DNA sequence: TATTTATCGATATAATTTTATCGATAAGAA
DNA sequence: TTCTTATCGATAAAATTATATCGATAAATA
């Protein structure tokens, strides 16, 4: 009970993060396969080959998501899609607010994909009076000053932070004070929050480093 | 020699990816510390406390980057910054092209941070005639048809892909054909490339999944 | 019907990554 | 100068994650 929350018989185990990160990739792939309606069943071997993951790895990940397959055939494509949706909780949508309607914020507001993944960005906030009152991708832009009240009123749990470095901490503080539970931080600085608040920091520099080291290794190998 | 490339005595070892991802975070932190000029030396204990990483972990990561510290004092802040810069190769800039000047593409073009991390986006490409000829954050937008020739002429190694799902594979193919070495893929689909080409896929769905599972766990624990 | 085959599921091994331990060192205080 | 303390660096243990093995199963084929 301490580490593994439980509710109505549904247990949330501590899932390996790498597995968690791969599941959406399988999902996206399966959706494409399903649209192309090429087969009713699909095997780990095929998924692995197509996605450049070891088949055994795929099977283990799917086992974690409680998928059940049939020997010689594989997994039913439609069933597998639903299994993953259920497992990731994409059937009950979570609502979120976004703060900072710059280029990045607008890009996220316009990304239709999120709804598919159980996230619904309800509204956006900014301090710029020129943006307040407008709509971006069908989402209303409100003044950032209204954020705390709105978080409380709608009991929003996730805040998406797409503001410049200079105001990131300040906006995060406002969110926390209003009772937010999790912050998805796209700003280029680390933000400090009290214990218990979840922060997921999207750090492009980290990804870039991984890419360029791989590149350096590859170019060196050829030389 | 097979796995570890070598050139001019400089060895590129296979660095643990988690370490690689944390180094930029230390770097950003150290830069802030340096600007605030609070101390000449800094210890792993302090870095770890401030960044919510175990001090031992910090020390191991810094060891990988060849940093040397002094007992009782810690690491010289300025020296440490340079050590990380050297290690990550941020002193010799890599040039890149970006394809797809939508909201996300524009956000990346406007992100000043990249230059600090050794990446210089030289120009951008798009198929939209309305965008071609304009400038975004000081970078010229050229027609996508010119991409292959430009990659060859400038011997560009990194391509940044910020196009819609529908044209991602097509643009990736064009890059590969022109001789690109690595693709940083922000489009929401997996792209297929020949062996030897490096692809780093930025998948927001993966991050979102990690965030919402953590949130679910945390909400459950409280309930 | 018997045989072959592809694949799953469970279990076991290997590799990687994280965390802990402990002696060595140098600064600062007694 | 000697003692205490904070910290590094090296080495060791633990935890996590990835990969391999192998029997069981069900479809396809002979």
């Amino acid at each position: 009970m301490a580490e593994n929350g439980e509710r109505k018989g549904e247990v949330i185990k501590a899932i390996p993060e790498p597995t968690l990160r791969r599941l959406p990739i399988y999902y996206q792939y399966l959706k494409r396969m399903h649209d192309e309606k090429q087969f009713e069943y699909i095997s780990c071997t095929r998924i692995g080959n197509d996605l450049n993951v070891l088949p055994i790895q795929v099977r283990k990940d799917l086992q974690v998501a409680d998928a059940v397959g049939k020997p010689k055939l594989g997994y039913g494509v439609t069933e597998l899609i639903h299994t993953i949706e259920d497992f990731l909780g994409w059937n009950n949508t979570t609502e979120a607010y976004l703060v900072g309607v710059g280029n990045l914020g607008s890009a996220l507001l316009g990304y239709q994909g999120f709804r598919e993944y159980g996230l619904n960005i309800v509204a956006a906030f900014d301090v710029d009076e020129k943006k307040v009152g407008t709509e971006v991708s069908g989402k209303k832009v409100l003044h950032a000053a209204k954020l705390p009240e709105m978080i409380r009123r709608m009991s929003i749990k996730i805040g998406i932070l797409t503001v410049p470095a200079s105001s990131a901490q300040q906006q995060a503080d406002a969110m926390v004070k209003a009772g937010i539970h999790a912050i998805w931080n796209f700003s280029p600085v680390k933000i400090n929050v009290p214990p218990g608040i979840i922060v997921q920091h999207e750090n492009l520099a980290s990804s870039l480093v991984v890419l360029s080291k791989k590149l350096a290794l590859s170019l060196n190998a050829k030389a």
Side-chain angles (χ1 to χ4, degrees), chain A residues 183-215:
Chain A
I183 297 178
W184 199 3
N185 178 24
F186 287 83
S187 87
V189 293
K190 200 235 170 197
I191 54 173
N192 294 306
V193 295
I197 308 293
I198 292 151
V199 176
Q200 171 107 345
H201 187 180
E202 232 44 57
N203 196 331
L204 286 182
S206 290
S207 298
L208 177 58
V209 159
V210 175
L211 178 70
S212 35
K213 273 284 163 182
K214 281 186 194 162
L215 180 58

Side-chain angles (χ1 to χ4, degrees), chain A residues 99-100 125-127 144-145 147 161 163 167-176 183:
Chain A
V99 185
F125 297 82
D126 205 296
V127 290
L147 179 72
L161 199 58
V163 298
S167 53
Q169 185 62 55
Q170 181 196 333
Q171 292 299 335
D173 289 344
M175 284 181 180
V176 169
I183 297 178

Side-chain angles (χ1 to χ4, degrees), chain A residues 130-144:
Chain A
K130 272 172 267 164
K131 288 172 185 163
V132 173
T134 65
E135 282 199 2
V136 176
S137 299
K139 311 284 162 72
K140 285 211 173 92
V141 181
L142 309 172
H143 196 280

Side-chain angles (χ1 to χ4, degrees), chain A residues 42-57:
Chain A
I42 194 161
S43 71
C44 290
T45 315
R46 186 165 231 292
I47 300 178
N49 285 347
D50 287 352
L51 254 36
N52 259 320
V53 183
L54 286 178
I56 310 140
Q57 178 88 77

